[in-house]
Amino acid sequence: MKKYIVTLLISCVAFSQQTPASKQKESILITGGKAHIGNGKTIENSIISIVDGKIASITDGTVAKVSKHDITIDATGKDIYPGIIAPNATLGLVEIDAVKASNDENEMGQMNPHIRSIIAYNTESGLVEAARPSGVLLAQIAPRGGRISGTSSVVQLDAWNWEDAVIKENDGIHLNWPRSYSRSGWWAEPGGIEPNKKYDDQIREIQDFLNDANAYLGSNTTTRDIPYEAMKGLATGEKQLFIHVDGEKEIVDAILFKKKNNIQKMTLVGGYYAYKNISLLKDNNVSVLLRRVHDLPLLEDEDVNLPYKNAKLLSDAGILVGLQNAGDMERMQIRNLPFYAGTCVAWGMNKEDALKLITSNTAKIIGIDGNYGTLETGKSATLFISKGDALDMRTNNVTEAFIDGRKISLESHQTELYDRYSEKFKAKK
């Protein structure tokens, strides 16, 4: 029996999360690196001072004087970036898809605005650990399922528990807009496209729920209704409405829903055909978190490169746009988020503008731009240093990363395996 207990303990140690870094105590100076600010600008020979978890100053090293710091990091020949932000993510909610007990991304029922994804967030997830070596340091943890999935929160990816991780709690409600059509068949043998005869009824159900919630919130009743209470804040802008929608007609209907109900802040999640409704988006101040860039077009007769071009189409039109990663194998694919931005560069976007898709733009959309998303004086020192271009999967090599000034571990199960087998092959030589 003791033998089995020892084996279990060894297995737990081998696959456990790295210990979160302690609060920054010593001042840090990063010199010589090319700083990508995240707002479209760069500083070639930068000096970044980090004190008490904040960027105390960021200057051009050719003209600024270097003050004494406790720790100095020479980043000459390297690139420095703000921490990448993964919106609409399910990191920490599911560990193994095939193991039901590890799946906590959705709840039973259709109208669940009161379901708070943050309390199910597992900071010990190995997939959280695997995202950090690509520079992904922040995430919006969002629920799935139902018509109204629940409420998301924003976290930093180096914490003991969800209370330590959260940086913005209950930031928005996630609504899955109905489709006006459906496909018959399955992925291997797709059938035709058929109209959804229940589409109008499904929209009416959403409207009825919102009407009932508003009536409840405006009443003096002493009987509590927790789902209705969770809808509070949409009309004032305290909470944002994230509508998961792709179709052209559906996007128009979703924006009309925003106008009708005086919803202050709304973002389309997916937004595949948003580029066909540019004027409507601009007139109603609607932002977009685009569906996965590395994907096929939705229809067989479309430009096969449309997913790669979509971000540029929207950005050029003045739409605030970010990238998200929902879809198959989405949690393990989070590490590829910087490379999605790199693909947008390959299809016409300026590199610094593409960086904004996963840093400052996303920070603005989810409401954390006051402290994250760019390398600016007074903001959180959440950043990373790479030996190569962070948006290029051939050269991205993160050497150091900081969250709120804390130098975090970049080790993961994958890096452990790399080190182990590197020793094996060295021994053979």
Side-chain angles (χ1 to χ4, degrees):
M1 185 67 171
K2 290 181 179 179
K3 179 177 69 175
Y4 296 124
I5 293 174
V6 171
T7 303
L8 177 61
L9 289 173
I10 291 172
S11 298
C12 291
V13 170
F15 293 98
S16 65
Q17 179 82 336
Q18 297 298 322
T19 302
S22 300
K23 184 177 180 179
Q24 183 189 3
K25 296 178 181 178
E26 299 177 304
S27 59
I28 300 170
L29 192 70
I30 304 174
T31 64
K34 180 178 181 180
H36 301 261
I37 307 303
N39 60 4
K41 300 178 182 179
T42 61
I43 300 176
E44 286 292 336
N45 180 24
S46 66
I47 296 178
I48 302 175
S49 171
I50 302 174
V51 180
D52 295 330
K54 300 285 187 180
I55 298 176
S57 65
I58 177 166
T59 55
D60 186 339
T62 59
V63 296
K65 293 182 179 180
V66 180
S67 59
K68 186 177 180 180
H69 284 63
D70 298 317
I71 299 171
T72 300
I73 298 173
D74 184 2
T76 303
K78 298 179 181 179
D79 293 86
I80 307 167
Y81 300 87
I84 292 169
I85 307 167
N88 186 38
T90 53
L91 278 175
L93 299 184
V94 182
E95 197 66 12
I96 304 172
D97 288 303
V99 179
K100 188 175 182 180
S102 76
N103 187 328
D104 215 0
E105 69 177 2
N106 57 44
E107 294 289 340
M108 297 176 63
Q110 290 297 306
M111 301 297 186
N112 295 318
H114 58 298
I115 298 299
R116 299 168 62 240
S117 61
I118 187 63
I119 63 172
Y121 175 64
N122 175 24
T123 57
E124 295 286 333
S125 170
L127 296 169
V128 171
E129 184 179 83
R132 298 189 312 221
S134 289
V136 181
L137 306 181
L138 303 164
Q140 179 198 45
I141 307 304
R144 298 283 188 264
R147 182 63 67 204
I148 299 179
S149 303
T151 302
S152 59
S153 294
V154 184
V155 299
Q156 51 87 4
L157 301 185
D158 183 62
W160 289 100
N161 50 49
W162 73 260
E163 290 96 336
D164 291 339
V166 68
I167 59 176
K168 186 174 184 182
E169 193 169 353
N170 303 332
D171 71 298
I173 293 172
H174 291 254
L175 165 63
N176 298 300
W177 197 260
R179 292 182 178 181
S180 62
Y181 66 91
S182 62
R183 287 177 178 269
S184 59
W186 60 305
W187 68 268
E189 296 179 2
I193 297 176
E194 301 174 354
N196 176 9
K197 297 178 181 179
K198 297 181 179 180
Y199 180 70
D200 291 336
D201 291 336
Q202 290 167 346
I203 294 177
R204 194 173 300 112
E205 288 173 0
I206 299 170
Q207 185 63 61
D208 289 345
F209 182 83
L210 185 59
N211 290 342
D212 291 344
N214 288 335
Y216 168 84
L217 293 171
S219 70
N220 295 319
T221 180
T222 57
T223 303
R224 291 193 65 187
D225 190 299
I226 295 175
Y228 289 161
E229 285 184 13
M231 299 294 284
K232 184 178 180 180
L234 288 180
T236 60
E238 296 172 45
K239 286 183 182 176
Q240 184 166 187
L241 183 62
F242 293 91
I243 294 190
H244 296 242
V245 60
D246 282 307
E248 182 178 1
K249 171 179 170 52
E250 290 89 336
I251 288 173
V252 172
D253 291 340
I255 295 175
L256 293 177
F257 176 81
K258 174 187 185 294
K259 291 181 65 176
K260 178 180 179 180
N261 294 285
N262 194 31
I263 294 170
Q264 296 301 304
K265 296 180 180 178
M266 191 178 92
T267 294
L268 305 182
V269 182
Y272 185 77
Y273 290 113
Y275 72 94
K276 294 187 175 184
N277 296 290
I278 295 295
S279 297
L280 199 57
L281 292 171
K282 294 179 76 171
D283 292 344
N284 291 278
N285 194 28
V286 176
S287 53
V288 180
L289 288 171
L290 271 176
R291 64 183 287 129
R292 187 181 294 172
V293 172
H294 292 178
D295 207 348
L296 293 172
L298 292 183
L299 298 176
E300 293 84 350
D301 59 350
E302 288 179 337
D303 180 359
V304 71
N305 298 316
L306 181 56
Y308 312 147
K309 302 174 181 177
N310 224 337
K312 179 173 170 57
L313 292 173
L314 292 173
S315 294
D316 288 351
I319 304 299
L320 181 62
V321 56
L323 302 182
Q324 54 96 33
N325 184 59
D328 293 338
M329 303 173 69
E330 63 181 77
R331 286 160 293 281
M332 61 192 73
Q333 294 266 25
I334 285 288
R335 65 182 184 269
N336 291 327
L337 198 57
F339 311 138
Y340 296 164
T343 298
C344 295
V345 175
W347 288 89
M349 284 197 80
N350 173 276
K351 187 173 291 186
E352 300 307 319
D353 288 337
L355 178 63
K356 290 162 64 175
L357 300 175
I358 53 176
T359 55
S360 59
N361 283 10
T362 300
K364 291 175 184 176
I365 290 171
I366 63 178
I368 61 170
D369 54 307
N371 208 28
Y372 298 92
T374 55
L375 302 178
E376 295 181 89
T377 300
K379 287 193 175 184
S380 167
T382 298
L383 55 91
F384 65 93
I385 304 171
S386 175
K387 279 186 179 179
D389 184 351
L391 307 190
D392 186 347
M393 65 178 67
R394 298 170 301 176
T395 62
N396 178 307
N397 184 2
V398 177
T399 58
E400 285 116 341
F402 302 83
I403 294 179
D404 296 328
R406 301 176 294 115
K407 186 175 181 180
I408 67 170
S409 170
L410 294 174
E411 293 181 9
S412 66
H413 182 53
Q414 287 73 27
T415 61
E416 290 174 3
L417 290 175
Y418 175 82
D419 292 339
R420 182 195 307 173
Y421 285 97
S422 293
E423 291 300 320
K424 171 182 170 63
F425 287 111
K426 286 178 184 177
K428 279 190 174 182
K429 291 181 180 179

